[in-house]
């Protein structure tokens, strides 16, 4: 059983890992890497950061729920919004999250599939390359 301090350390470590995934997405994007990899890293980072917020808010209540939330970005964002009262994704950003969740939660960004033939990852505004 972790102490309160231990739970905060775990929450912070999870948050830092999520930030690192997002940072990796930025670097891959800047080096004109595979856009599906950029999107996957970004989604993975968002998932981990949001789950870290849940743990920081109430470790004991949310730790057992993380597995049930799975890799569903919409559910994780909704849980974070409920737990914190923050409107994390609003308007177009939420719509984009819903769309990206379809690909991320089914691991279509991670593995090769028909997705690679029929969907252009750069067609999503979240994937647009910076100038």
């Amino acid at each position: 059983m972790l102490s309160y301090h231990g739970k905060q350390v775990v929450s912070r470590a999870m948050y830092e890992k999520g930030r690192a995934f997002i940072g990796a997405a930025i670097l891959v994007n800047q080096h004109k890497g595979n856009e599906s990899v950029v999107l996957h890293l970004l989604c993975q980072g968002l998932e981990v950061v949001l789950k870290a917020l849940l743990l920081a808010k109430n470790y004991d209540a949310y730790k057992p729920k993380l597995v049930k939330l799975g890799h569903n970005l919409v559910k994780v964002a909704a849980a974070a919004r409920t737990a914190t009262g923050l409107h994390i994704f609003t308007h177009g950003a939420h719509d984009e999250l819903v769309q990206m969740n379809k690909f991320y939660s089914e691991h279509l960004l991670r593995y090769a599939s028909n997705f690679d033939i029929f969907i252009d990852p750069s067609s999503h505004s979240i994937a647009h390359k910076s100038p």
Side-chain angles (χ1 to χ4, degrees):
M1 190 82 163
L2 290 174
S3 67
Y4 174 80
H5 177 71
K7 292 171 186 175
Q8 292 303 303
V9 170
V10 170
S11 300
R12 179 66 181 192
M14 191 162 176
Y15 174 77
E16 291 300 329
K17 286 181 183 183
R19 281 188 50 202
F21 284 125
I22 293 168
I26 292 167
L27 287 173
V28 172
N29 187 45
Q30 288 173 341
H31 288 86
K32 305 204 183 325
N34 184 289
E35 291 171 336
S36 289
V37 172
V38 171
L39 292 174
H40 176 76
L41 288 168
L42 184 59
C43 290
Q44 188 170 10
L46 289 172
E47 175 192 349
V48 174
V49 164
L50 292 172
K51 286 181 176 180
L53 288 174
L54 292 172
L55 292 180
K57 182 70 176 174
N58 188 334
Y59 189 96
D60 294 327
Y62 288 106
K63 177 68 173 160
K65 296 178 182 178
L66 295 185
V67 171
K68 186 176 180 181
L69 290 171
H71 301 296
N72 187 317
L73 298 174
V74 175
K75 285 183 181 179
V76 174
R81 182 175 48 251
T82 299
T84 65
L86 298 173
H87 294 284
I88 299 167
F89 296 98
T90 58
H91 308 296
H94 183 267
D95 294 342
E96 185 99 25
L97 186 72
V98 169
Q99 188 176 12
M100 291 311 306
N101 187 57
K102 293 174 191 173
F103 306 126
Y104 177 72
S105 65
E106 295 181 24
H107 308 291
L108 296 176
L109 298 170
R110 188 185 315 175
Y111 303 112
S113 67
N114 293 351
F115 171 83
D116 297 292
I117 298 170
F118 298 112
I119 305 294
D120 179 5
S122 66
S123 66
H124 302 286
S125 63
I126 201 167
H128 288 176
K129 300 276 185 188
S130 56

